Amino acid sequence: MTTTRRILFLSGTRADFGKIKPLIASVKATPGLEYDIFATGMHMLARYGRTVKEIRDAGFDRIHPFVNQDGAVTSQMDLVLATTVQGLGHYVREATPDLLVVHGDRIEALAGAIVGSLNNILVAHIEGGEISGTIDDLIRHAVTKLSHLHFVANDEARDRLVQLGEQPSSIFVIGSPDIDVMLGDTLPTMAVVRERYEIPFDEHCILMFHPVTTEHDQLEVQSAEIVRAAVESGRNFVVVYPNNDFGADIILRHYKTFEGNPRFRMLPSMRFEYFLSLLKHAQAIVGNSSAGIREAPVYGVPTVNVGTRQSDRFIYPSIVNVPAEAGAIKQVLTNLPSGVAPSQHFGDGRSAEQFLEVLRSDAPWQTSRQKRFHNITPVAAPR
């Protein structure tokens, strides 16, 4: 490969940056490839610790920060989408990337896929082909249809993309990039994590609960139930703020119950490696974060998966699904799964290596911007 390729990574949250960081690092270290990062979304909000600084702290300096929303606790997702499309559109017409990389199912990923496809820029989607049963599904599958290249976690996700009409030659199974970090040797010790985040207890659970936008009318009750369960369980909790989807203000209002309780440590956000150490040493993770479905099983850590946000996702012995009811949650917390073997369903820690192998070949760069639907069954000719 003689031509220098410019690859633009879009990141809107602490979580997606942690997942794509190994990929950015691999591009940075490879001659013939250049990286840029469009940092927006929760990265730019003071309420979440303005985590754009974590991108700089990770050794990346080619960053374009963009504020796509105000500091309101609950963002209007349609307005955030529109603002991101406008800001990113201006940027790519000046920066002219050869490839725009987006991750997952957030609004910012949808904006990136829209901008790339409308500007004849190749779009690569990381971790498409998943299902979860909420609004995230609609966004994730829409991003798939707007993307040209797909880097998926496993064969199950690959098959689902083929069902969606994607060309098999455009799909690459590389695993989840964050597992590269999870299974690496760079995680801080728990002593370092406790000191940095002033966590006062030796044993802990993690609570991460996000709003389900299609269940907004139930969120008051759900939040009250999960808070009551945590308080009455008698366990120590590190509580990480919800994302900024519609309804986050309701959850945060109920979290005020934890104020002054020495068994609870509230954190707006955590650096990704520090969160992984916290997860690795946790008694359990409670709530509806994808971390309980994708990351916790890698360490064999029990998950108390509350409600419907992850209802159609991975099933594993360490994951217990419960309704958003205090009694059901407490019952599982008193009898957590134990001795569950670590899972490799989402990868084996070689994602960045395999991602780079694809980018260093000619095939992805010859991908047509004009997508064609791949039929898995014959279609009758028009009459």
Side-chain angles (χ1 to χ4, degrees):
M1 183 172 60
T2 57
T3 303
T4 297
R5 306 288 189 182
R6 298 192 64 184
I7 302 173
L8 176 62
F9 293 87
L10 187 152
S11 179
T13 73
R14 62 202 179 204
D16 70 41
F17 174 66
K19 287 176 174 287
I20 64 176
K21 182 164 70 169
L23 308 184
I24 304 173
S26 69
V27 167
K28 180 183 178 183
T30 302
L33 299 178
E34 290 185 353
Y35 79 93
D36 291 287
I37 302 171
F38 189 88
T40 188
M42 292 168 65
H43 282 306
M44 306 305 299
L45 299 179
R47 183 174 67 258
Y48 294 98
R50 213 177 302 277
T51 54
V52 66
K53 63 187 179 185
E54 294 182 16
I55 302 177
R56 299 190 185 98
D57 290 344
F60 303 121
D61 55 5
R62 298 174 64 92
I63 306 168
H64 180 81
F66 177 73
V67 178
N68 68 351
Q69 59 195 278
D70 59 27
V73 173
T74 296
S75 61
Q76 298 297 316
M77 297 169 72
D78 51 351
L79 298 181
V80 173
L81 175 64
T83 304
T84 310
V85 167
Q86 183 179 49
L88 181 61
H90 290 322
Y91 177 76
V92 300
R93 285 186 282 276
E94 289 293 321
T96 61
D98 296 295
L99 179 68
L100 200 168
V101 179
V102 300
H103 172 274
D105 52 29
R106 301 291 297 164
I107 285 294
E108 287 82 7
L110 179 57
I114 290 171
V115 168
S117 59
L118 293 182
N119 285 277
N120 285 323
I121 299 167
L122 286 176
V123 178
H125 186 202
I126 310 297
E127 291 187 354
E130 311 283 345
I131 53 174
S132 56
T134 67
I135 188 68
D136 296 348
D137 268 359
L138 277 68
I139 296 173
R140 189 185 306 109
H141 301 329
V143 173
T144 288
K145 298 312 299 179
L146 291 162
S147 299
H148 307 89
L149 301 170
H150 312 277
F151 294 88
V152 300
N154 48 38
D155 289 336
E156 180 183 304
R158 178 193 181 280
D159 292 347
R160 199 168 285 120
L161 292 193
V162 173
Q163 273 189 288
L164 286 170
E166 297 303 299
Q167 298 290 338
S169 61
S170 72
I171 308 169
F172 306 91
V173 179
I174 66 169
S176 294
D178 58 325
I179 295 179
D180 293 20
V181 183
M182 295 182 71
L183 300 182
D185 57 5
T186 60
L187 297 184
T189 65
M190 268 308 300
V192 171
V193 175
R194 290 191 189 98
E195 180 179 3
R196 180 184 179 95
Y197 290 99
E198 300 178 350
I199 299 171
F201 27 77
D202 293 330
E203 295 183 337
H204 65 276
C205 294
I206 299 171
L207 174 57
M208 297 179 70
F209 187 63
H210 304 299
V212 177
T213 58
T214 52
E215 298 177 358
H216 186 264
D217 60 335
Q218 304 170 46
L219 193 52
E220 287 280 3
V221 173
Q222 293 174 349
S223 301
E225 289 290 295
I226 197 167
V227 165
R228 183 161 71 90
V231 171
E232 294 179 0
S233 72
R235 293 182 180 269
N236 303 319
F237 279 88
V238 177
V239 184
V240 183
Y241 277 21
N243 64 31
N244 60 333
D245 285 349
F246 182 50
D249 56 329
I250 295 173
I251 297 172
L252 288 171
R253 187 169 68 250
H254 283 275
Y255 279 0
K256 290 184 180 296
T257 301
F258 301 141
E259 292 179 358
N261 189 324
R263 293 193 294 103
F264 292 84
R265 177 72 175 103
M266 294 275 291
L267 297 172
S269 65
M270 295 184 70
R271 291 188 65 174
F272 189 63
E273 288 84 355
Y274 287 75
F275 173 75
L276 291 179
S277 280
L278 189 77
L279 177 62
K280 185 176 183 178
H281 295 92
Q283 295 173 317
I285 178 170
V286 182
N288 60 7
S289 169
S290 62
I293 307 299
R294 301 182 65 93
E295 282 79 28
V298 175
Y299 292 138
V301 170
T303 297
V304 185
N305 182 51
V306 180
T308 63
R309 189 170 185 261
Q310 309 293 343
S311 59
D312 290 336
R313 278 194 160 171
F314 183 44
I315 298 173
Y316 200 64
S318 63
I319 302 170
V320 182
N321 298 308
V322 298
E325 299 171 0
I329 297 168
K330 287 193 298 178
Q331 184 176 4
V332 178
L333 282 170
T334 61
N335 189 28
L336 290 168
S338 62
V340 179
S343 165
Q344 290 194 345
H345 183 72
F346 293 107
D348 59 5
R350 298 186 302 114
S351 294
E353 172 189 332
Q354 295 176 81
F355 177 73
L356 197 58
E357 183 179 334
V358 174
L359 294 191
R360 294 179 70 176
S361 67
D362 293 330
W365 309 108
Q366 296 170 353
T367 302
S368 174
R369 275 67 169 173
Q370 179 62 55
K371 290 185 63 172
R372 299 185 66 187
F373 194 91
H374 173 74
N375 292 303
I376 57 176
T377 56
V379 178
R383 296 182 179 183

